[in-house]
Each structure stands twice: as structure tokens, then as C-alpha cells.
Amino acid sequence: MADAPACARIEEKVFADQSPWSEQSFRDEINQKATRFLALRLANAEDLQSAGIKLPGDLEPGQLVGFAGIAQRGRANEIPDYEILTIAVDPRVQGAGWGRLLLSALLEGTEAGAVFLEVRQGNEPAINLYKTCGFEVVGVRRGYYQPQGADAIVMRRLPVAAS
Ligand SMILES: CC(C)(COP(=O)(O)OP(=O)(O)OC[C@H]1O[C@@H](n2cnc3c(N)ncnc32)[C@H](O)[C@@H]1OP(=O)(O)O)[C@@H](O)C(=O)NCCC(=O)NCCS
């Protein structure tokens, strides 16, 4: 919950023109019973130093640089469906594998159910990430993102067979 302001700051950067969630939206979603959120943060100063890593000037040790959230849907006693609510990585550290790491951690424990998500048409980095994690396109929601009216691609990952 204490990360809600930092999540909203990243959200402002990556969804500036797409109705970004506010701090309060993050609090409300984190507070829902059936949601789970993950935070991605840089290592602390001591660990960075012992690994010999020097951060670029505008990044702080321990800083939140990404987040992801998922909701469980469906009735009790039934195999649930899941819906990915959000995932984002700070633009300063995108393209380094953190988005994939966040998504795979978010999907842990969801193997028995189908997982759905909506993604803005044309958001190729996200669509590519989802496709390489087992999601396929199952539909389009016309005008889903308001007020801009952009279409959403609906993607689904089917239950993963037990090995
Ligand atoms: C989508 C997002 C979370 C990916 O995070 P990331 O840390 O940059 O991604 P990764 O470095 O882990 O890359 C994972 C895969 O995503 C895809 N990808 C990432 N950046 C890409 C780009 N610029 N162009 C095309 N595909 C890209 C690739 O498939 C990549 O796999 P590869 O490295 O094996 O080719 C990030 O781009 C982001 O925060 N975007 C803004 C928020 C957003 O659109 N969220 C999704 C809402 S549905």
C-alpha cells in the first residue's frame, strides 16, 4: 500500500495520455480481496555496492521500478479465471527482462485457470511479451479505452496442463 504513490508516478509516465490510475485507484485495487499485486524494486545500497553496480544518477537504491496486478474471478468451489489488471516497468529500466520476470511471477499459481487481459491495439511491446508467455488473441473490444476510444485486444492463456 505504501508503494501506491510510486506506482502512480510510473503509471503517469507510461500511460500519460491513457487515463492513468491515480494513487487512490491503486489503493482501491490493492484493497480488493481477490487481487494480488507485485512490486519490482532496485536492490538496496549495500547489495548494489557489494555487487559493484553503480546506478545512473536519477535512480535510487530500493526504488520501485515496476508493478503488476492480477484478480481472481469466479465462484467459490469452481476453478477460477484470472484477469491481469496492470503491468508496467519504469521506462528507464525497460527492455532489460524485468517485464517478463514480473509477468511470470504474477502468473505463479494460476496454472489451473484461464488468464485473460486487455491490451491496447498497437502496444507491440506488451502484445509481444504476452504472446511469448502463452497468450493468444481471442477478441477485440471496440472503443474499450475511454475517453480516447481506442480498441482493446483481448488475450487469453488457457489452463496449463499439469506435468
Ligand atoms: C510491456 C512492458 C511491461 C514490458 O516490460 P520490459 O521490462 O520492457 O520487457 P522485457 O525487457 O522483459 O521484454 C520482454 C518481451 O517483451 C517484448 N518487448 C519488450 N520491449 C519491446 C519493444 N520495444 N518492441 C517489441 N517487443 C518488445 C519482447 O517480446 C520481449 O522479449 P525479448 O526480449 O525476448 O524479445 C513495458 O514495455 C511497459 O511497462 N510498457 C508500458 C506499460 C504497458 O503498456 N503495460 C501493458 C499494459 S496491457
Side-chain angles (χ1 to χ4, degrees), residues 14-117:
V14 297
F15 296 121
D17 56 346
Q18 301 169 35
S19 311
W21 284 10
S22 63
E23 272 182 51
Q24 192 54 47
S25 310
F26 277 99
R27 288 196 192 95
D28 291 346
E29 293 292 337
I30 293 166
N31 258 334
Q32 297 286 326
K33 256 199 202 141
T35 63
R36 186 166 68 92
F37 277 75
L38 299 178
L40 173 74
R41 54 183 99 250
L42 298 174
N44 63 36
E46 199 181 313
D47 289 343
L48 286 169
Q49 196 176 14
S50 61
I53 296 170
K54 198 169 182 320
L55 293 176
D58 58 345
L59 288 170
E60 299 286 332
Q63 181 179 343
L64 184 108
V65 287
F67 56 81
I70 192 165
Q72 184 176 319
R73 312 281 188 212
R75 298 186 192 86
N77 305 324
E78 286 181 2
I79 294 174
D81 280 348
Y82 300 89
E83 183 187 354
I84 294 182
L85 302 171
T86 184
I87 180 167
V89 170
D90 189 308
R92 292 172 293 180
V93 297
Q94 283 180 6
W98 301 118
R100 189 180 293 284
L101 185 78
L102 261 178
L103 182 59
S104 61
L106 194 68
L107 291 171
E108 275 173 23
T110 64
E111 294 78 8
V115 184
F116 293 86
L117 61 87

